[in-house]
Amino acid sequence: MGAKRKFTAAGVLAAFARGLLALLCLQSALLAGTAAAGELLTLDQRSGPPNMVSALEAWIDVNGQTSVEKVEAGAHTLGFAPVQSGRPYEIDTGALWLRFNAVVQNPQTRWKLELPLAGVDKVALYYRDSLGRWVVQQAGDSLPMSAWPQPGRYPVFSLSHEVGLLVPYYLRIEQARTPFSTLPRIMGDEQLAASRQQEDLWLGAYFGLAALATLLALINAMAYRDWGFATYALHVATITGAQAAVTGVAGLFWWPQWPELNNVAIVLLRLGAAASALLFVRTIAKPKRFSRALDWFILALIGLLPTIALIDATFPTIDSFAIIHILLGAGIAVLLMVVGVSLFEGDRHARWIVLGFSPILLAALFPILRNAGVLTTGFMTQHALMLGSALEAPILFYGLLRRVTQRRESETRATALPTTDPLTGLGSARLLLGRLRQALRTAERYKQPCALLIVNLSNLASLQQQHGRETGDRAMVMAAACIRAAAQPTDTVARVGDSFFALLMEGPMSSDSVTQVATKILAGGLRPSRKLPEADPLLFHIAIGYVAESARLGPDQAQACLERMVQAVKDMNDGSRKAIRLTHL
């Protein structure tokens, strides 16, 4: 019996050893099966953010009906494959599952998983805690912001903070109509906060500048009564709103509790920005000058773009999404056609439209190619339009300012024709007579002297005969500049004939000081100038009419004084060598 009991105890010990060995083998097998999802991510603050590409595996649930329990149970039979960086996944009505394993080594850091993509329809993170219970977190454009675990522009989830526990994670993503190629990333709280601050900084700068450009455009539109600035303000506002929707800013701040507006706003504002761009170009380039059919086609396209957006918001389908991209391509083609025709026709404002729209048209290719599956999601596909619009806005604004300034200058010159010489920009004879009457009235009442200088460009005829009319006009402009340079700001300079100028001087003066001014004009004309052929000088004859304190000339004699002075300078062309003649009126 004693031997039997000894045998039984040995058998129990052997059986216990075999059971422990089997349990260890089973645990090793389970860990090996869990780790088969990819490389194990060790979360330690000292090693920095982990690289998730080698740890991720993906599987597309075509019907989108598989629960997380079935995914967990069939993780080795469902067809999970290693994720390839940059590979786009066509999800449509299904769901994309991503899985990875991670273990926390640093208890002082709270780790977060971020999906850096605004506009994803729905994303959920699943994992079991140490008691085997499911921890579920959800976010995305189909959920109100209050249902997100952490409100923000991107979905952010908290990972398990239990140290040393190997945790399998399952990420379920829904994204219809556009390929999905964004990989999640894991960061600590401090790293995530620093990243948010940097993003908020440049987003705030962009939206602040866009708001300022819109406000200034509206002010200019009202000040100048210009439709160009009005349509520019509409274009900047719509493209800024589109960027707010695309980057998640609108969903975070404008309608956090109405998630159904997210996808609607993205499509509607993007097509609205395209329509406003066409309206702006139509206002500036005026394609009706070239073709009425083209103008009507642009108007039809402007109305069709937001209409299709509203239809797509009501009945979103793959076909409507394709139609949207076709219309966007047609809008770009029409815009380039109108601008190209304007350039060909010599429109000087068209080059600013080309320069302004070039960045935005190039930037539009990135999201279009991403939606077509040619490019993967990245910085340029998400933010190229924002960068392009940031370059576009100041260029177009400067072009509009030049356009309205030139138009106002033309209007001002047309209004000032009765009192301004169109060639030299000096006052006209009519303006001079008015000022001369006032000067004679002041001289009579306050005994204040004044002087009237009549300057004749005596070699104008020879310059025109030798070099042509254009050279003569250039010489007249240079003569006007020479006389204006010798005058004081309170003096009046005017053109009173084909080659005659007048300089009216008022205030305390003497005949000597007036003669000094005349001498300065002569010296200025004698300086050789490269603006004239053969550096010919400007030769002047100057007659000075001086009104002394004791003179008694009334304002009604202004016309007679001017005629006498003009005749006096004409008489100097009798061969006299004296270039200055002084007379008392």
Side-chain angles (χ1 to χ4, degrees):
M1 292 292 296
K4 187 176 181 180
R5 285 195 299 270
K6 184 177 180 181
F7 174 79
T8 302
V12 170
L13 291 174
F16 178 76
R18 288 194 298 270
L20 180 61
L21 179 62
L23 181 62
L24 291 175
C25 291
L26 178 61
Q27 183 180 8
S28 299
L30 288 175
L31 289 176
T34 302
E39 293 185 6
L40 177 65
L41 294 178
T42 302
L43 305 182
D44 190 342
Q45 185 67 31
R46 292 169 293 182
S47 59
N51 182 10
M52 298 193 64
V53 177
S54 59
L56 285 172
E57 284 194 336
W59 170 68
I60 294 182
D61 178 14
V62 179
N63 297 321
Q65 302 298 322
T66 308
S67 64
V68 64
E69 290 82 5
K70 292 182 179 180
V71 172
E72 180 187 42
H76 304 289
T77 60
L78 290 176
F80 275 91
V83 169
Q84 298 178 5
S85 179
R87 175 193 171 184
Y89 292 93
E90 298 286 348
I91 303 176
D92 294 334
T93 57
L96 173 66
W97 285 89
L98 300 176
R99 67 172 186 169
F100 64 94
N101 300 320
V103 58
V104 177
Q105 297 290 352
N106 188 347
Q108 299 178 351
T109 302
R110 300 294 182 179
W111 294 94
K112 300 293 177 65
L113 182 141
E114 178 188 57
L115 189 66
L117 177 66
V120 62
D121 293 340
K122 189 175 181 180
V123 56
L125 179 68
Y126 304 88
Y127 69 89
R128 292 185 184 274
D129 59 13
S130 57
L131 299 179
R133 297 170 300 186
W134 282 111
V135 177
V136 182
Q137 303 170 68
Q138 296 182 338
D141 277 0
S142 60
L143 298 174
M145 196 63 65
S146 59
W148 290 30
Q150 181 172 326
R153 296 189 304 112
Y154 302 149
V156 176
F157 305 116
S158 297
L159 299 183
S160 172
H161 58 273
E162 298 180 77
V163 180
L165 178 65
L166 189 151
V167 180
Y169 293 91
Y170 300 90
L171 193 67
R172 185 180 185 275
I173 300 168
E174 296 179 18
Q175 178 74 347
R177 303 203 297 180
T178 58
F180 181 86
S181 58
T182 303
L183 297 182
R185 58 189 183 189
I186 295 177
M187 292 185 291
D189 278 339
E190 294 182 358
Q191 296 167 339
L192 184 63
S195 175
R196 284 289 183 270
Q197 290 176 357
Q198 185 177 6
E199 292 174 357
D200 291 345
L201 178 63
W202 61 262
L203 282 175
Y206 169 79
F207 288 111
L209 290 175
L212 179 61
T214 304
L215 179 61
L216 291 177
L218 290 175
I219 293 174
N220 283 320
M222 291 184 291
Y224 295 116
R225 294 179 177 85
D226 182 70
W227 280 105
F229 272 111
T231 54
Y232 168 85
L234 177 63
H235 174 60
V236 174
T238 52
I239 200 170
T240 303
Q243 292 309 304
V246 169
T247 57
V249 172
L252 178 62
F253 295 107
W254 295 353
W255 50 75
Q257 300 306 316
W258 292 281
E260 59 275 4
L261 295 179
N262 288 320
N263 291 329
V264 175
I266 290 175
V267 176
L268 183 60
L269 289 173
R270 274 187 170 176
L271 293 186
S276 64
L278 289 173
L279 180 61
F280 171 77
V281 171
R282 179 179 179 269
T283 303
I284 300 301
K286 295 180 172 56
K288 190 176 181 180
R289 298 176 298 167
F290 319 127
S291 170
R292 288 183 176 271
L294 179 60
D295 186 60
W296 279 108
F297 180 74
I298 294 174
L299 285 175
L301 195 57
I302 290 173
L304 187 60
L305 285 170
T307 303
I308 292 296
L310 292 175
I311 295 174
D312 181 77
T314 308
F315 307 102
T317 63
I318 296 294
D319 294 334
S320 64
F321 196 65
I323 292 174
I324 286 173
H325 283 80
I326 293 174
L327 290 177
L328 287 174
I332 293 174
V334 170
L335 189 148
L336 292 175
M337 182 189 304
V338 172
V339 175
V341 173
S342 299
L343 281 175
F344 181 77
E345 293 293 330
D347 188 347
R348 56 187 175 181
H349 303 298
R351 62 178 181 270
W352 291 107
I353 300 178
V354 172
L355 188 61
F357 274 103
S358 294
I360 200 74
L361 292 179
L362 291 175
L365 295 176
F366 288 92
I368 290 176
L369 293 176
R370 179 200 59 192
N371 293 339
V374 178
L375 295 179
T376 59
T377 301
F379 178 83
M380 290 302 295
T381 56
Q382 294 190 69
H383 304 298
L385 280 173
M386 182 178 295
L387 296 175
S389 62
L391 295 174
E392 173 204 49
I395 297 174
L396 291 181
F397 192 89
Y398 177 73
L400 286 175
L401 279 179
R402 284 179 59 91
R403 169 180 170 270
V404 75
T405 300
Q406 292 173 1
R407 190 190 70 187
R408 295 284 293 185
E409 181 181 352
S410 300
E411 294 175 354
T412 302
R413 292 185 66 178
T415 304
L417 279 177
T419 58
T420 306
D421 176 56
L423 176 62
T424 62
L426 301 179
S428 64
R430 178 180 175 181
L431 175 68
L432 177 72
L433 283 173
R435 298 283 178 85
L436 182 57
R437 291 189 186 97
Q438 182 64 36
L440 293 176
R441 186 179 293 111
T442 303
E444 182 182 15
R445 177 175 299 179
Y446 300 107
K447 307 302 180 184
Q448 177 175 293
C450 65
L452 177 63
L453 284 71
I454 301 298
V455 183
N456 179 28
L457 181 57
S458 58
N459 63 334
L460 176 62
S462 62
L463 289 173
Q464 290 178 340
Q465 184 177 5
Q466 294 177 14
H467 307 293
R469 180 60 182 268
E470 182 180 351
T471 299
D473 291 343
R474 187 180 295 113
M476 288 293 292
V477 174
M478 294 173 60
C482 184
I483 298 171
R484 187 186 286 115
Q488 296 296 321
T490 56
D491 297 338
T492 301
V493 185
R495 183 182 179 188
V496 294
D498 290 340
S499 60
F500 296 95
F501 302 92
L503 171 59
L504 177 61
M505 301 173 60
E506 302 179 62
M509 69 186 72
S510 63
S511 59
D512 291 338
S513 62
V514 176
T515 304
Q516 289 177 1
V517 173
T519 304
K520 185 177 180 180
I521 295 173
L522 285 176
L526 291 174
R527 295 191 186 97
S529 173
R530 294 182 180 180
K531 297 179 181 179
L532 293 177
E534 302 176 5
D536 290 337
L538 302 176
L539 303 180
F540 296 120
H541 284 167
I542 304 175
I544 302 174
Y546 183 73
V547 181
E549 293 88 340
S550 59
R552 294 187 177 273
L553 292 174
D556 54 338
Q557 299 187 40
Q559 180 69 41
C561 289
L562 177 60
E563 292 175 356
R564 273 200 313 272
M565 294 300 300
V566 171
Q567 186 59 46
V569 79
K570 287 181 179 179
D571 294 339
M572 295 176 66
N573 291 329
D574 57 1
S576 174
R577 294 184 179 181
K578 293 183 63 176
I580 299 176
R581 178 176 294 177
L582 178 62
T583 62
H584 290 274
L585 296 177

